[in-house]
Amino acid sequence: MNTVQTTGEQTDRSSIKLALQAVIVAIWLLCIFTFSAPEDWKAGTYGTDAILPPEQIKLLKLGARLSSCFALLLGIWSLWHRKDSGRVLIYYFPVILFSGWILATIFWSPLKTVSIQQAVSFAISICLAMLVSLIWKSEATISRILFHIVVVLALISVGLICLALAFPQYGVLTKESSGLFHSTTAGATASLGTILTISIVCNYGWNWSKFIVGPAVVAHLAVLILAGNRFSIILTVLFGALVIGLLLEVAGKAVLLTVIGGTCLIYLLVDPGLTLTGDAVDKVEEYARQGQSTSQLKTVSGREEMWSKMWISFQDSPVIGHGYFVTSETGRIHVWDEWGNWTAHSMYLQVLVSTGIVGMVLFLLAMLTPFAVLLTRITKVGRRARKSMTLLLIMGCWFAFWGILNSSVVGPTQPESVVFGVLYGAAIASVSRNTASPDFVRGRRGRRTGSLAENAE
């Protein structure tokens, strides 16, 4: 009996190790290979160069997605036999229903290739979430997953800064030329990287997180400034303050307030008339406007026109939509003096127009269920588990707000959709097991004093 039990435990450990490696491979491949070549007309207008020929970029992205799918499905298959798998995967029933509806909409989509491509992108995020849910138990595993997420986001920001400064011909971090990483994608990546890194330091205090928080946050903030995406900056400030207020220990808050107070006092001694403050306010206002008039700002940078056209398009097929990620009956809609399959520039409107009321109901049910259950259980667990749940709820709220002005998790595969997959899987793991794992609830405090390699490995 002992031999059989030992063999079973060894098999479980091997399966979990394989699944963890699959998650890490998917995180890196899906985050790194999300860049694109500039559109032809933008390349001609702004002189933007492609870092690689468009055909090679498409092959690299296809290879990354296929490799990620294979790794994730292999990982899920290796853990399918575990007794707790059913209890975990039952929480995926709403998102599986939504995924099934996505597939159904392909039949009446005027752009079937687009619908299939975007359906696959969403499916990859959900497969990543499923595998994360199955292995999100011990603090060692959680630490390693979050370590790789934080590192890859930081490296993306560092790479974008280097390319923007050294190779401006690639149009990195620009809105007009849309080279490599669009400013919106870069802003989302940097905002998520900042908030997630700070959250991990405040919540877990792992040594590797303390080591990386400074360089990572500096790199992300630099990208936020260079990209100039105002909404990502606003969310970074708001959610960064929320994380510090809810997750940082009292001693940490005291030190932070002391530093802020001391800095303000020194500034008043240097500039008692607040002359520099007035100049700074003018510069900030100029940066925030980015050359736009007050009327343009009131229309949310032209989104009012976009949303009105999308609402009209929604009324053409209100129940079943036009086909996943297709926002008109013909696949072409005229907005901003250009014809094309425009996105709705809002996650909620994108789902509503492309999948109809049916899809919208299923989508909201799928997205809200795990976080709603988390919210009901947050007062019934220990302090450490409560902080972990709070972290997941904060990150979930970030995605909910970001989706107001962007396609977000229902858009193409990009770093934010990878992070969403990990956090969505973590949320379901927390509610399905009720955070019953001793390592997850109490944490192994000894790991705080471990080395970077010990915590990451």
Side-chain angles (χ1 to χ4, degrees):
M1 179 65 71
N2 291 337
T3 302
V4 174
Q5 183 176 0
T6 302
T7 303
E9 291 175 353
Q10 290 176 344
T11 303
D12 279 351
R13 283 196 295 268
S14 298
S15 299
I16 291 174
K17 185 177 180 180
L18 174 63
L20 178 57
Q21 291 171 343
V23 167
I24 293 171
V25 167
I27 286 172
W28 281 89
L29 289 178
L30 296 175
C31 282
I32 295 297
F33 294 101
T34 54
F35 57 89
S36 301
E39 300 171 46
D40 291 338
W41 73 270
K42 290 189 175 181
T45 303
Y46 300 100
T48 307
D49 293 336
I51 195 167
L52 290 172
E55 295 76 13
Q56 292 185 17
I57 292 177
K58 290 179 181 178
L59 287 175
L60 282 173
K61 293 170 73 171
L62 178 61
R65 282 155 178 71
L66 290 176
S67 300
S68 299
C69 281
F70 176 77
L72 292 172
L73 292 175
L74 181 62
I76 294 172
W77 176 259
S78 69
L79 295 176
W80 199 262
H81 66 281
R82 293 173 60 88
K83 293 181 179 179
D84 61 346
S85 296
R87 188 168 69 250
V88 172
L89 297 178
I90 192 65
Y91 281 88
Y92 281 92
F93 184 67
V95 79
I96 290 174
L97 281 179
F98 176 65
S99 300
W101 180 251
I102 286 176
L103 295 177
T105 66
I106 294 173
F107 289 99
W108 57 81
S109 171
L111 301 175
K112 289 181 170 53
T113 301
V114 171
S115 296
I116 292 171
Q117 288 175 345
Q118 299 305 321
V120 170
S121 293
F122 184 77
I124 290 174
S125 296
I126 300 307
C127 286
L128 175 60
M130 284 184 177
L131 192 50
V132 168
S133 295
L134 293 172
I135 63 175
W136 191 271
K137 289 184 176 182
S138 70
E139 191 165 353
T141 300
I142 296 170
S143 173
R144 192 172 180 188
I145 293 173
L146 294 179
F147 170 81
H148 285 276
I149 279 285
V150 166
V151 169
V152 74
L153 293 180
L155 288 178
I156 288 173
S157 285
V158 171
L160 291 176
I161 294 170
C162 293
L163 287 171
L165 297 178
F167 304 98
Q169 68 269 25
Y170 295 134
V172 178
L173 302 180
T174 58
K175 294 183 178 181
E176 294 83 6
S177 56
S178 299
L180 212 65
F181 258 63
H182 191 276
S183 62
T184 301
T185 304
T189 301
S191 181
L192 273 175
T194 301
I195 298 166
L196 187 58
T197 305
I198 294 174
S199 298
I200 292 169
V201 172
C202 293
N203 187 45
Y204 296 106
W206 292 315
N207 280 350
W208 66 258
S209 64
K210 296 176 182 177
F211 175 80
I212 201 175
V213 63
V217 170
V218 169
H220 292 316
L221 293 181
V223 167
L224 286 171
I225 294 171
L226 291 173
N229 184 274
R230 290 168 295 209
F231 195 42
S232 62
I233 294 174
I234 292 171
L235 290 187
T236 302
V237 173
L238 292 178
F239 280 90
L242 185 63
V243 165
I244 292 173
L246 294 178
L247 298 181
L248 188 62
E249 299 289 350
V250 175
K253 292 177 184 176
V255 172
L256 183 61
L257 290 174
T258 301
V259 171
I260 293 174
T263 303
C264 292
L265 179 60
I266 293 172
Y267 175 77
L268 289 174
L269 293 174
V270 174
D271 183 26
L274 301 179
T275 304
L276 296 177
T277 301
D279 294 338
V281 170
D282 292 338
K283 292 293 184 182
V284 170
E285 182 180 359
E286 181 182 350
Y287 174 83
R289 283 186 174 274
Q290 296 181 7
Q292 293 183 326
S293 64
T294 301
S295 60
Q296 287 175 318
L297 292 174
K298 287 181 179 179
T299 61
V300 200
S301 300
R303 280 178 170 82
E304 183 178 314
E305 177 189 348
M306 170 69 73
W307 291 341
S308 63
K309 293 287 184 69
M310 290 297 168
W311 182 251
I312 295 172
S313 180
F314 160 70
Q315 294 174 351
D316 293 333
S317 182
V319 178
I320 63 174
H322 301 299
Y324 190 60
F325 219 74
V326 178
T327 51
S328 62
E329 284 184 316
T330 62
R332 298 174 75 245
I333 188 170
H334 190 260
V335 185
W336 298 336
D337 299 321
E338 184 181 348
W339 286 94
N341 181 39
W342 286 95
T343 66
H345 285 61
S346 168
M347 176 174 67
Y348 309 102
L349 194 53
Q350 182 79 15
V351 173
L352 186 63
V353 176
S354 64
T355 66
I357 295 173
V358 174
M360 188 65 179
V361 171
L362 294 175
F363 175 74
L364 292 177
L365 181 65
M367 296 298 106
L368 294 178
T369 296
F371 295 100
V373 177
L374 265 183
L375 191 60
T376 61
R377 294 183 180 177
I378 196 168
T379 59
K380 303 175 183 179
V381 295
R383 177 175 174 273
R384 186 166 174 78
R386 188 182 305 120
K387 290 184 68 175
S388 297
M389 287 181 168
T390 302
L391 186 157
L392 294 173
L393 288 170
I394 290 173
M395 300 308 301
C397 288
W398 184 95
F399 281 100
F401 277 91
W402 181 252
I404 295 173
L405 300 183
N406 302 278
S407 297
S408 191
V409 300
V410 296
T413 299
Q414 49 198 358
E416 70 184 86
S417 58
V418 177
V419 176
F420 171 78
V422 171
L423 297 177
Y424 188 79
I428 289 183
S430 298
V431 300
S432 62
R433 298 190 180 94
N434 199 20
T435 56
S437 169
D439 284 343
F440 183 75
V441 175
R442 295 190 295 271
R444 289 182 287 180
R445 308 295 293 189
R447 295 196 69 82
R448 289 177 175 270
T449 60
S451 65
L452 175 66
E454 287 173 341
N455 281 323
E457 297 297 321

